[in-house]
Amino acid sequence: MTAGFDIHEVRHRVKMLRDDGETMLVENRDGVACPACGDDFSQLLISKREAHSFDVDAGARFCVRRDGERLLVATHE
């Protein structure tokens, strides 16, 4: 498990899919470790919002981690 996940340290290894100021969604392009379990993630949502709803594919695994005031949600395919 990684303490204090810093997206800026891995920005060259992920592709930004969306950033609205409160949430950021990135796609893993180069084997970045999940901040919760350590395995490579597929996509990572970084959010400062209090609540979220997710449509989750039944075949996908996901991890959730609180990192200070941020919520990190990683999918694994």
Side-chain angles (χ1 to χ4, degrees):
M1 183 165 29
T2 307
F5 183 80
D6 186 354
I7 190 66
H8 300 292
E9 289 181 3
V10 297
R11 69 181 179 275
H12 61 285
R13 299 172 59 197
V14 298
K15 178 181 178 182
M16 174 93 57
L17 300 177
R18 183 174 62 235
D19 185 357
D20 69 10
E22 285 190 312
T23 63
M24 178 188 302
L25 180 65
V26 297
E27 180 178 69
N28 197 347
R29 294 289 176 108
D30 189 27
V32 178
C34 172
C37 73
D39 293 343
D40 295 355
F41 64 84
S42 300
Q43 292 185 344
L44 178 67
L45 175 74
I46 303 169
S47 178
K48 296 176 185 174
R49 293 183 185 169
E50 290 294 318
H52 282 280
S53 295
F54 301 99
D55 291 321
V56 179
D57 181 4
R61 181 184 67 152
F62 68 94
C63 294
V64 178
R65 177 172 178 187
R66 173 64 60 191
D67 185 28
E69 294 184 6
R70 304 179 306 169
L71 179 65
L72 308 176
V73 181
T75 60
H76 300 271
E77 294 180 6

